[in-house]
Amino acid sequence: MSALFSQEGRAALARLRGVPAIFGFDFDGTLAPIRPTPGEVAMEARTAGAFAALARRLPVAVVTGRGVADVRARLAGTPRWVIGNHGAEGMPGADPARQAEQAAICAGWLAQLAGTDALTGAGILLEDKRYTLSLHYRLAPEPESARARLLAASAALHPLPAIVPGKCVLNLLPAGSWDKFRALRELADGAPVFFAGDDENDEIVFRQAPPGWVTVKVGSEGPSAARFRLKSQEAMADCLELLLALCS
C-alpha cells in the first residue's frame, strides 16, 4: 500500500480528472475525528470548508453507518448523495417495503436487548438508527469484556443479525442489508470511484473495489486492503484540498 501523497497516489488521483467519477467518504474517523460518544462528533473548520467546496464542484457521496438525518446535520455543504445505515437509507429508488421490514426487525431487537443485562454495564451505549443498531463500548472500563458480552447478546437475537464490527462498536444489520460497497457500486453505475474510510466496515469496500477505484485507508494503524493510505484523520483537509486542485 502506498501513501496517498506519494507520486503513485497523486497520479491515481490525477487520472480521475475529467472523468465522471464519484468521490465517496465515510464520516466518523474520516471527515470528522472520532470522539468518546457519537453525539460529540463534528467536522473541523478546515476540513469542513474544503469538503463544502468539493461538494459544490464534484459528485460527492457520504456513505456512513449513521442515519441520514444525523449525518446531514453534521456535514458542511450539500453533497449529491448522503447514504446512511451502511446503504439502507438514502439510496435513489430505495424500496419502502424493505426499509419498513428492516425497521421492524430493529425494533424487535431493541425489545429483546431490553430484556438482557448486556447493556447495563458502565460505558455501554445503544444507538438506535432505525434501520440498524450500533452497540458502543468505547467508554467501558474493560472494553474487551464488554465486547464479548455484546457479541453474545447479539448472537442470541432473532432473527440473527449480520454483525459488522467497527472501532469499539458492533453494528447490527438485518440479514441481506446493503453494505457500503454495494451502495457505491450502484451510485457509480460503472464510473470510477474514489473512496476514503477508516474503519473495519470500510474494508468491505476496499476488499471488493474494482481495479479502477482509488481506495484510501485513513489512519496509520493496522493492515488494510485499500490501495493507498492517508496517515491520519487530521490529514483529511490536505486530501480534500488536493482533490480540489487535481480534479476540479
Side-chain angles (χ1 to χ4, degrees):
M1 187 192 323
S2 301
L4 182 62
F5 296 149
S6 66
Q7 183 176 355
E8 181 184 356
R10 289 172 184 269
L13 293 177
R15 285 193 289 273
L16 299 177
R17 181 187 303 168
V19 301
I22 285 178
F23 295 83
F25 302 86
D26 174 43
F27 185 72
D28 294 73
T30 300
L31 290 176
I34 291 175
R35 301 299 186 199
T37 65
E40 299 175 65
V41 175
M43 297 179 74
E44 296 182 338
R46 184 174 157 223
T47 304
F51 179 79
L54 194 74
R56 286 193 298 269
R57 301 181 192 182
L58 296 171
V60 169
V62 174
V63 187
T64 173
R66 286 182 180 263
V68 166
D70 181 346
V71 76
R72 275 194 187 279
R74 301 172 195 277
L75 286 172
T78 308
R80 184 173 299 184
W81 301 281
V82 179
I83 309 301
N85 279 284
H86 306 271
E89 186 182 16
M91 288 297 297
D95 180 3
R98 174 56 180 160
Q99 290 184 312
E101 179 185 357
Q102 289 191 240
I105 289 171
C106 290
W109 289 342
L110 285 171
Q112 293 172 61
L113 288 168
T116 73
D117 60 3
L119 303 182
T120 59
I124 303 297
L125 174 65
L126 168 61
E127 190 180 8
D128 176 10
K129 299 179 290 188
R130 189 176 183 188
Y131 304 112
T132 67
L133 303 181
S134 291
L135 305 177
H136 299 269
Y137 55 93
R138 180 177 303 279
L139 299 180
E142 298 180 1
E144 287 307 310
S145 175
R147 183 178 190 273
R149 293 198 311 274
L150 293 173
L151 276 171
S154 301
L157 294 174
H158 180 78
L160 192 66
I163 302 175
V164 180
K167 292 178 177 176
C168 294
V169 62
L170 300 176
N171 300 293
L172 308 186
L173 283 62
S177 294
W178 282 47
D179 57 36
K180 292 183 177 184
F181 173 70
R182 183 178 175 188
L184 284 165
R185 183 180 61 185
E186 184 79 9
L187 293 176
D189 192 25
V193 171
F194 168 96
F195 179 70
D198 74 300
D199 213 341
E200 292 182 52
N201 54 70
D202 300 309
E203 292 293 332
I204 294 170
V205 178
F206 302 155
R207 287 193 296 269
Q208 300 179 79
W213 288 25
V214 178
T215 51
V216 181
K217 163 74 172 181
V218 179
S220 59
E221 63 286 335
S224 175
R227 289 183 60 197
F228 300 101
R229 189 185 292 272
L230 190 66
K231 63 181 180 179
S232 66
Q233 191 282 320
E234 291 77 11
M236 180 50 65
D238 296 323
C239 172
L240 294 167
E241 289 169 359
L242 177 61
L243 287 172
L244 279 167
L246 290 176
C247 301
S248 298

